[in-house]
Amino acid sequence: MDKLLEQIKKGVVWPFPGGIHPPQQKSLSNSASITRLPLPDKLVVALKQHIGANGKLLVEKGQRVLKGQALTSPAANWSVPVHAPSSGIVTDIAPMPSAHPSALPELSVVIEPDGKDEWVALNPINNPTTLTHDELVNIIHQAGISGMGGAGFPTYVKADTKQPIEFLIVNAVECEPYITADDTLMREHAIEVIQGLELMQQLLNPALCIVGIEDNKPEAIVAMTKAAEHNEKIIVQTVPTIYPSGGEKQLIKLLTNREVPSAGIPADIGVLVQNTGTLFAVQQAVYEGKPLIERVVTVTGNTIHKPGNVWALLGTEIKHLLDCQGFSPVPQQRVVMGGPMMGFTLPTVRIGIVKTTNCILAPDHKELAEPGPEKACIRCSACADACPASLLPQQLQWFAKSKEYDKLQEHNLFDCIECGACAYVCPSEIPLVQYYRVAKVEIKEQQADKIKADRAKERFDARKERLDREQEERQNRHKRKPAAKSADEKQKVADALARVKNKSDNGDEKSAVAAAIARAKAKKLGDQSAELEPDNSEVAKERALRKEQARKYKDQKSQTDESADTAPVDDKKSAVAAAIARAKAKKAAQANEGTEPVVNEAPQSDAPVDDKKAAVAAAIARAKAKKAAQANEGTEPVVSEAPQSEAPVDDKKAAVAAAIARAKAKKAAKALENAEPAVSEAPQTEAPVDDKKAAVAAAIARAKAKKAAKANEGTEPAISEAPQTEAPVDDKKAAVAAAIARAKAKKAAEALQDAEAPNAPNNTDNSSSSIDADVPKSSDDKKKAAVAAAIARAKAKKLQKEGNDQS
């Protein structure tokens, strides 16, 4: 450190890489002193003239303000206020074109000066050494001072740094061509600049303060050396004239031989740099109490008749400066804010001066020619040789054109100071600096978007975590917490575990436990299988029993039919009886679907009948059977007196019913055989029966049949008092019903025959007695008998046809 200090005091400088020597053109403006311009008609004061956030607006439209009155107040980090440059009326607060190559609108306060130039109350400090560190920093902060030679970094932030500062450097190099604002300021106000430097020295307490001035400013060197001769810690160092020696990192290298690390700041290596104009503004704020409302601006160029440096109020339109200095524009005139190397062409001259404006250049076409069309890179490496930051401009330009932002950052794009040396030496006239500026803006926007997305994700994760926690708390709110176990209970549990562990050491006990577990599992599996597999043995037994009953019933039915067919009867009578039985069976089967036919237990008659009477009896029986079938269509006849069940008829009952049917058939056949001799012995009447009597007999038979049908319709011939079920009759019951119907038909035929015979010995029926009384006993002749037989056959045929239609 001591060796370095000795070298610095001896005037040793260390060169930096790269650099160029463009024409200086400073003699146009440094020959005259700084002049003060008349008040402009309008002041457009932008609220943001520095790096950082805007301040909070304190005025409103139509309000009168005084010179030096604060228009905004600091509202966030790196926020400094702006002040009214002159007294007047606030005519508008609106977005106005900004001092930027894009001229994007920025919120500005428009003031119309009243010409009085009336100051606000000032608070000057005569002895700043009595101020504390915080008080001095606050004065600098409230004065709105920011860097006036570079990007506009707030001065109070640098003044309040917590890092130790070894070297405080004053950047008075002013290396860019045409600009002489700092040069004339040091020549005319060197004492004020040194006072401002001493105030910063009071705040930072550096080991050495170095004022760096290029060797092309001899008058400024003399003035500054004389002003600082009373302070041993301040030295004025002359540096060679080379561009860009005024760059912050390059000047540090020149004066201290220290290099600022990539992506670092000078404070990281114990160095802090301030501009000449900034130190003058600090002195004005403390000693005069004046805020930063004006600065020195160089107005020069071949189109300016009176080039020089002027005191310009902040917010003064550039057009006002040009007009005051004798501006004579040429066709396609360019106006540049800044120098020819780092400045930018303004889209309009209706833009107000800001704190970082140090030069307004209005060149003609010969002085600053328009750049030609961009050509292909010839890879001459001139840009790399001229770069003071030791970068690869050609490579950066390729990455910038292809928007490979990651590679740009890998190649240290942000170490570029945008000095323009690479573009100045490029033979292909490639605007390299423009590519870098655009790429930097896009990368910053991308990083800002990423920061916003990360913050949004953090908020989302925090909210999700909070919601999950609240949901878990709601779920656990009503859960019963287990009671804490006492020491005795814990000891009991430990003892039990110890006993289990001791038992597990015995092999027999292990096997016993395993056997018990196996038995329990087997029992569980058995119970599960029992539950899963139902017992169907009873259903299978019932199904087998029904099959066996059906088989036996089929055999019995076939036997019954054979026995009924083999009964000995007379050919004629058996034919009549068979026809009657078939008709009645068919009608009974149709009328009694789902029911059981009624068995009429009428007394049996053994009286023999002749052919004529048999035909009449057959006709009467058919009529009665027809009426009875019609009357019983809506009724439910009952077979037995006992209540009927839904269970099928078993084999034993079917066998008994078949036996009864066979016995009755045999009895009827025997009665017919025994009755034939009696009929032949009985005296026959020979009186012929005429047509009238035959008609009377037929009418009587029809009346009796009709009377019997009406009696069946009005009554419910239910033999059983029990309620009848509506269950359908199966095949077995139908067979029994058919056999009973055949038996009844035979009995009815015999009863009718007995009723027609006047001398029948077993005639006990009242109905047959009435027939005897009404029908004459005389026999008919053969002609009438033939007619009656034909009528009977026709009626029987008709009844059979109706039965077939109904079935």
Side-chain angles (χ1 to χ4, degrees):
M1 179 66 182
D2 294 338
K3 184 178 180 180
L4 180 61
L5 286 175
E6 292 178 0
Q7 291 177 332
I8 293 174
K9 291 179 179 180
K10 290 180 180 180
V12 178
V13 293
W14 292 267
F16 61 86
I20 57 176
H21 295 83
Q24 294 298 305
Q25 301 292 336
K26 293 181 180 291
S27 59
L28 295 174
S29 58
N30 64 359
S31 59
S33 61
I34 305 172
T35 61
R36 190 168 294 275
L37 301 178
L39 284 175
D41 296 334
K42 180 173 66 174
L43 295 169
V44 182
V45 183
L47 299 187
K48 184 177 180 181
Q49 304 183 26
H50 57 277
I51 291 178
N54 291 350
K56 182 180 179 182
L57 192 64
L58 299 177
V59 296
E60 58 185 9
K61 186 177 180 181
Q63 179 180 346
R64 185 177 186 273
V65 294
L66 299 177
K67 186 175 183 179
Q69 179 179 339
L71 302 178
T72 63
S73 62
N77 292 333
W78 293 10
S79 176
V80 295
V82 294
H83 301 78
S86 181
S87 61
I89 304 299
V90 177
T91 59
D92 197 5
I93 300 175
M96 303 296 288
S98 61
H100 189 269
S102 63
L104 291 175
E106 288 185 354
L107 188 63
S108 304
V109 177
V110 181
I111 300 174
E112 183 179 349
D114 56 8
K116 298 180 180 181
D117 211 22
E118 185 179 355
W119 274 94
V120 72
L122 302 178
N123 296 313
I125 305 298
N126 297 324
N127 188 11
T129 56
T130 61
L131 298 175
T132 64
H133 177 87
D134 293 338
E135 290 175 346
L136 188 56
V137 170
N138 186 62
I139 292 173
I140 296 173
H141 189 191
Q142 295 302 324
I145 301 173
S146 61
M148 300 173 67
F153 196 86
T155 302
Y156 83 94
V157 177
K158 288 185 176 182
D160 197 27
T161 181
K162 304 302 179 182
Q163 294 176 299
I165 301 300
E166 298 178 6
F167 299 103
L168 177 58
I169 297 177
V170 179
N171 188 351
V173 174
E174 202 171 39
C175 60
E176 191 161 1
Y178 289 95
I179 304 176
T180 60
D182 290 344
D183 183 12
T184 55
L185 181 64
M186 288 186 291
R187 285 189 294 180
E188 298 182 13
H189 300 280
I191 295 175
E192 290 83 352
V193 174
I194 295 299
Q195 287 177 343
L197 177 58
E198 290 175 344
L199 290 172
M200 295 300 297
Q201 188 178 15
Q202 177 181 339
L203 290 171
L204 301 173
N205 194 24
L208 185 65
C209 296
I210 308 172
V211 180
I213 306 176
E214 275 187 331
D215 55 8
N216 62 351
K217 304 175 180 62
E219 295 181 7
I221 294 173
V222 172
M224 292 295 290
T225 302
K226 183 178 180 180
E229 61 185 3
H230 66 278
N231 194 329
E232 296 180 355
K233 289 188 176 181
I234 298 175
I235 64 172
V236 178
Q237 185 73 355
T238 303
V239 298
T241 301
I242 185 174
Y243 181 84
S245 59
E248 187 176 59
K249 294 180 180 180
Q250 286 68 37
L251 184 60
I252 293 173
K253 175 66 175 176
L254 280 171
L255 298 177
T256 65
N257 198 28
R258 293 184 179 181
E259 293 185 3
V260 179
S262 177
I265 59 175
D268 295 337
I269 58 174
V271 179
L272 193 144
V273 180
Q274 289 289 0
N275 182 262
T276 303
T278 305
L279 294 177
F280 179 81
V282 170
Q283 188 272 341
Q284 292 290 302
V286 176
Y287 286 94
E288 302 293 337
K290 296 179 180 180
L292 180 57
I293 60 173
E294 61 182 0
R295 66 155 300 151
V296 179
V297 178
T298 300
V299 182
T300 185
N302 289 342
T303 60
I304 302 296
H305 297 295
K306 296 186 296 181
N309 293 280
V310 298
W311 286 105
L313 297 175
L314 300 182
T316 303
E317 289 185 340
I318 295 173
K319 183 178 185 301
H320 181 71
L321 270 69
L322 295 174
D323 293 340
C324 291
Q325 296 303 112
F327 178 51
S328 297
V330 296
Q332 297 181 351
Q333 177 68 57
R334 294 174 59 194
V335 177
V336 179
M337 179 177 285
M341 302 299 296
M342 298 185 68
F344 54 88
T345 301
L346 293 171
T348 176
V349 293
R350 293 288 185 178
I351 294 176
I353 295 294
V354 295
K355 297 174 184 179
T356 57
T357 304
N358 58 359
C359 180
I360 299 298
L361 176 62
D364 58 14
H365 297 303
K366 294 181 179 180
E367 188 177 14
L368 190 63
E370 286 284 345
E374 178 181 345
K375 302 180 181 63
C377 176
I378 62 174
R379 303 185 183 183
C380 62
S381 76
C383 57
D385 297 337
C387 180
S390 300
L391 300 177
L392 298 174
Q394 176 191 5
Q395 199 75 17
L396 292 174
Q397 189 248 350
W398 290 343
F399 294 148
K401 289 183 69 174
S402 59
K403 298 184 183 299
E404 299 181 62
Y405 301 133
D406 294 338
K407 292 183 178 179
L408 284 172
Q409 296 186 50
E410 291 176 2
H411 285 72
N412 303 319
L413 173 66
F414 285 92
D415 287 345
C416 173
I417 63 174
E418 302 178 16
C419 64
C422 55
Y424 181 81
V425 299
C426 180
S428 298
E429 299 188 21
I430 300 174
L432 296 170
V433 178
Q434 304 303 325
Y435 284 108
Y436 305 153
R437 286 175 178 170
V438 172
K440 284 182 179 180
V441 172
E442 292 178 352
I443 291 174
K444 288 179 180 178
E445 289 179 353
Q446 197 177 67
Q447 291 175 346
D449 293 341
K450 184 178 183 302
I451 292 173
K452 290 180 181 178
D454 293 341
R455 290 177 179 174
K457 185 177 183 301
E458 290 177 0
R459 291 195 300 270
F460 175 79
D461 293 340
R463 179 178 180 274
K464 186 175 183 300
E465 183 180 356
R466 176 177 57 81
L467 294 177
D468 293 342
R469 184 174 62 255
E470 292 177 355
Q471 183 178 4
E472 185 177 359
E473 290 176 355
R474 286 194 298 270
Q475 292 176 353
N476 297 333
R477 188 174 299 166
H478 302 292
K479 287 186 178 179
R480 184 176 179 182
K481 295 182 179 180
K485 293 183 178 180
S486 62
D488 296 338
E489 292 177 347
K490 291 182 179 179
Q491 185 62 36
K492 290 179 181 179
V493 172
D495 295 342
L497 292 174
R499 288 195 299 272
V500 171
K501 186 175 181 181
N502 293 333
K503 288 181 180 180
S504 63
D505 296 338
N506 192 343
D508 297 337
E509 292 181 356
K510 283 185 178 180
S511 61
V513 172
I517 293 173
R519 287 195 299 273
K521 288 184 177 180
K523 185 177 180 180
K524 186 177 180 181
L525 292 175
D527 295 340
Q528 291 178 354
S529 62
E531 294 176 358
L532 295 175
E533 298 179 1
D535 187 8
N536 296 327
S537 59
E538 295 297 330
V539 178
K541 290 180 180 179
E542 291 179 1
R543 188 182 295 112
L545 181 60
R546 286 197 298 270
K547 289 183 178 180
E548 182 65 21
Q549 289 175 355
R551 184 183 61 77
K552 290 180 179 180
Y553 169 73
K554 188 179 292 185
D555 296 341
Q556 291 175 1
K557 182 179 179 182
S558 61
Q559 293 176 4
T560 303
D561 294 340
E562 291 176 359
S563 61
D565 294 339
T566 56
V569 293
D570 184 61
D571 295 337
K572 187 175 181 180
K573 290 183 178 180
S574 62
V576 174
I580 294 170
R582 286 193 297 273
K584 286 189 175 183
K586 190 171 184 180
K587 293 294 183 180
Q590 294 174 357
N592 295 317
E593 289 181 1
T595 63
E596 294 181 3
V598 180
V599 180
N600 188 8
E601 297 180 355
Q604 305 296 327
S605 176
D606 296 331
V609 292
D610 57 2
D611 296 338
K612 182 179 178 180
K613 290 182 178 180
V616 173
I620 293 171
R622 286 193 295 272
K624 287 184 177 181
K626 182 177 180 181
K627 295 295 183 181
Q630 293 176 356
N632 293 327
E633 287 179 358
T635 62
E636 189 176 352
V638 181
V639 176
S640 64
E641 295 180 358
Q644 302 299 323
S645 62
E646 296 180 0
V649 181
D650 56 3
D651 298 338
K652 186 176 181 180
K653 290 182 179 180
V656 171
I660 292 171
R662 287 195 299 271
K664 288 184 178 181
K666 288 181 180 181
K667 185 177 180 180
K670 288 179 181 181
L672 290 174
E673 291 176 356
N674 295 331
E676 286 180 359
V679 173
S680 62
E681 292 176 1
Q684 305 292 330
T685 60
E686 299 295 335
V689 180
D690 56 3
D691 298 335
K692 187 175 180 180
K693 290 182 178 180
V696 171
I700 292 170
R702 288 194 297 274
K704 288 186 176 182
K706 186 175 183 180
K707 183 178 180 181
K710 289 181 179 179
N712 290 329
E713 291 177 359
T715 62
E716 185 177 354
I719 298 174
S720 173
E721 296 179 358
Q724 303 299 321
T725 61
E726 296 180 356
V729 180
D730 57 4
D731 297 339
K732 187 174 183 181
K733 288 184 178 181
V736 173
I740 293 172
R742 286 195 298 272
K744 287 180 68 178
K746 289 181 180 182
K747 287 182 180 182
E750 291 172 359
L752 290 173
Q753 290 174 3
D754 293 340
E756 295 295 334
N759 297 323
N762 297 327
N763 190 7
T764 60
D765 191 8
N766 294 330
S767 62
S768 62
S769 299
S770 63
I771 293 174
D772 292 340
D774 296 334
V775 180
K777 305 293 189 296
S778 61
S779 61
D780 197 359
D781 57 2
K782 295 182 179 181
K783 183 177 180 179
K784 291 182 179 179
V787 171
I791 292 170
R793 286 193 299 274
K795 288 183 177 181
K797 187 175 182 181
K798 183 178 180 181
L799 289 174
Q800 185 176 3
K801 184 176 181 181
E802 291 176 356
N804 293 333
D805 295 336
Q806 292 178 0
S807 62

